[in-house]
Each structure stands twice: as structure tokens, then as C-alpha cells.
Amino acid sequence: MFSLSNKVALVTGATGGIGEAIARQLHQQGATVVLSGTRESVLAERAAALGGERVHVVAADLSDPAAAEQLVARAEEVAGAPLDILVNNAGLTRDTLAIRMKDEDWSRVIEVDLASPFRLCRAALKGMLRRRAGRIISIASVVGTTGNAGQANYAAAKAGLVGMTKSLAQEAGSRGVTLNVVAPGFIATAMTDVLPDAQKEKLVGSIPLGRMGSPDDVASAVVYLASEEAAWVTGATLHVNGGMAMI
Amino acid sequence: MSEIADKVKKIVVEHLGVEESKVTPDASFIDDLGADSLDTVELVMAFEEAFNVEIPEDAAEKIATVKDAIDYIEAQKAA
């Protein structure tokens, strides 16, 4: 089950906690993985940790539209084969209450978290539609559905990913290409490490499964959606949040 | 047949996987050659690339037959 042998996967944001787990699990299932991110030295470390020949690195800053535009082609070049799986995982936050939120905070998050995944989808779809095969998985967030004070920009971008995915899923369905979303809840990463303990406890208290999620919880959902076994699932959002929001 | 017409025909045959004999000037991509809406968009993009022309959305919508495509590209190339 869930074999990804002979598949080529591109994972953006592979320097982050969730991106690392996604790349590692796809690799474990047999995929050739292309790790992308902004920090080249971290990418090199990640690639070395995975080891072997099925790992490649392409540094790219997705806040640059041209970089996003070219990333798929660069990934295919280093992997030496067309892309089968695209995982839009890269994202950033610029949290603040709306009355203090600057246009720059808004547009940077929309640009990196929503516009760049669109550019990557567009670039990947051209080949996938022709080849009549492909999997695109975008990592959103529970806050895209529930909203979250201080994250108007991030929640808008993540909700946007869901609407975009559903539209593209309808466009690509006749070619057997699927697009889905994984929406993580509260995951233990460097991003959430900085929260005060009291706030963490409160958050965990609101999770029926009684713990924070791990990057691997998210990665396993991605592996499923990337697999042949998920061939009849498209336009869906898989919530991985320990039951915090049952939606 | 012009060089443009030849090339258009070749792209259509290649992209839609149809018999060359079916790609007549009056053949409609959708009604006669079995294309769906995504195929027509991909065809237009293939024409753009092959002939180095830009086909705006409103013009693309009017390209329904093989002849429509040839006429549009010839007009662009003559201009």
C-alpha cells in the first residue's frame, strides 16, 4: 500500500518541521524527492540525512514570482524526470490584529502562501494534464476554516488554497490529476515552540486526542493523498487536527 | 496548403491523437475531433508556443475549427 516507487515529488518549504517530515515520508515510500526552500545549507543537511540518490535540492525564494514560475522546471531537471507529485507546503505568517496589520503584512502572506502555490500548480499542471497523471497536495491550516484572531492574512490565504484547489480539481479531473488539501491543526514545530506554556496547555485542552500533532501526523496524510490508493479523492480537505475542529 | 496550415494540422493530430485525414479545414475541435474544453485551451497554448503568437482569450473562444485556427495565425503572422 501507498508505494511511491518511481515517482518524483517536489516539496516546498522542506526546511521546516512539517516539510521535513513530508519529504522524509515520501522518500520512505520510494519517491525521488526534490527539496525546496530558501535556506540552502538547511536543505543540504536535510538531503544528507535522507541520503542516497533519490534526493535533490533546489533553493528558491517563493516570494519572487519568477522563482515560483521556474521551480517546477528546475526540479524536473535535477530529478531527470517529470514531476508526479507537488506538495505546496511553504508558507509564512505575519501575525497581528487587523487594526495594526500593514498592507505589507497582508500582501506578503497572500503572495507566499496563496499566489506562489497557484504559480506552482499552474506550472505543474501543464505537464500533468498532458501525461494524464499527477497529484497536487497543498498544506493549508485549520484556521482557514475556523479563522483566528491575529491571522486575518494567514487565514485568508489558507482558505484561498481550499477554493483554488477545488477549482483546479474540477479543471484537471478529466485527466486523472487530483488536487487536495491537508489542513493541520496545532502541530509541534519551531513555529509553535515559542508559545508560552500556559497557552500551549490551553490549546492541548481543546484537542480531544489530548496532544499536539507531530509533523509526521501531517506527512502521513500527504503520503495517502499522493498515492495511487487515493485516485478517487479530489478537491477534498483532509483535516489533521486531533479533533480540535470537526469540520 | 500553407506552411502554417501544415503545422496547425500536425499539432492537432499530435495533441488530440486523431487520424490526419479527419483534420479537415471545417473540422470542429469539439464536435468532430472529440476535444473537450481543456483540450481546446491546451491546443491554443500549443499554437501560441509553436507560432510565437499571443492568442487573447476572446480570440481563442472564437477558434472552433481547424480553419479558424489557421486563419487567425495567418492574420497574426501577416500583420
Side-chain angles (χ1 to χ4, degrees):
Chain A
M1 292 273 273
F2 312 126
S3 165
L4 300 175
S5 294
N6 302 317
K7 304 286 187 194
V8 174
L10 167 63
V11 181
T12 68
T15 52
I18 294 177
E20 185 277 330
I22 292 170
R24 174 166 39 77
Q25 286 201 22
L26 294 174
H27 185 257
Q28 256 164 25
Q29 297 307 114
T32 295
V33 291
V34 181
L35 313 181
S36 183
T38 47
R39 289 169 292 162
E40 213 161 350
S41 59
V42 182
L43 288 173
E45 275 169 39
R46 298 267 197 253
L50 291 179
E53 285 175 7
R54 291 186 287 110
V55 184
H56 305 276
V57 162
V58 177
D61 178 2
L62 295 179
S63 60
D64 171 10
E69 205 75 63
Q70 292 155 12
L71 180 55
V72 170
R74 290 175 64 203
E76 292 183 332
E77 202 180 307
V78 294
L83 193 64
D84 300 291
I85 301 159
L86 165 65
V87 183
N88 287 312
N89 168 69
L92 51 81
T93 53
R94 287 281 183 279
D95 297 355
T96 188
L97 295 181
I99 53 171
R100 280 183 59 83
M101 190 177 284
K102 296 185 171 57
D103 276 358
E104 150 72 13
D105 299 325
W106 173 267
S107 50
R108 189 161 163 78
V109 169
I110 297 295
E111 185 64 25
V112 174
D113 294 9
L114 180 58
S116 94
F118 171 71
R119 293 184 187 110
L120 289 164
C121 285
R122 184 175 56 191
L125 277 173
K126 282 180 192 164
M128 288 177 175
L129 294 173
R130 257 202 313 274
R131 294 189 298 276
R132 304 286 194 271
R135 295 274 185 272
I136 297 180
I137 299 116
S138 295
I139 308 302
S141 166
V142 64
V143 308
T145 305
T146 62
N148 193 25
Q151 292 197 305
N153 47 4
Y154 186 70
K158 295 305 190 180
L161 279 179
V162 173
M164 176 189 82
T165 295
K166 289 177 178 174
S167 304
L168 300 184
Q170 292 180 28
E171 293 185 14
S174 66
R175 303 299 193 266
V177 176
T178 69
L179 296 99
N180 292 286
V181 168
V182 172
F186 190 40
I187 308 297
T189 63
M191 221 196 251
T192 50
D193 233 18
V194 295
L195 295 172
D197 283 349
Q199 199 183 338
K200 273 192 232 172
E201 264 170 46
K202 203 177 144 206
L203 274 162
V204 170
S206 68
I207 301 172
L209 287 174
R211 65 170 175 88
M212 287 168 79
S214 71
D216 278 294
D217 290 324
V218 179
S220 303
V222 173
V223 165
Y224 165 63
L225 291 171
S227 72
E228 283 305 312
E229 283 79 359
W232 212 50
V233 179
T234 196
T237 299
L238 182 45
H239 289 276
V240 181
N241 63 29
M244 186 172 87
M246 300 191 181
I247 36 188
Chain B
M1 200 181 252
S2 74
E3 201 180 309
I4 287 174
D6 269 348
K7 211 160 149 190
V8 165
K9 219 172 148 177
K10 212 174 138 211
I11 290 168
V12 173
V13 166
E14 215 167 85
H15 192 90
L16 298 179
V18 290
E19 298 271 336
E20 207 181 322
S21 59
K22 287 195 171 165
V23 188
T24 59
D26 290 331
S28 152
F29 295 121
I30 291 177
D31 296 334
D32 301 318
L33 302 176
D36 64 12
S37 61
L38 193 54
D39 285 317
T40 59
V41 172
E42 288 184 310
L43 270 177
V44 164
M45 289 171 69
F47 295 147
E48 287 183 322
E49 201 174 326
F51 296 102
N52 196 24
V53 294
E54 202 161 315
I55 307 177
E57 208 54 41
D58 54 343
E61 279 167 17
K62 291 186 194 117
I63 298 178
T65 66
V66 176
K67 186 173 182 298
D68 291 341
I70 296 167
D71 288 349
Y72 184 84
I73 294 159
E74 281 183 341
Q76 292 300 302
K77 284 296 182 191

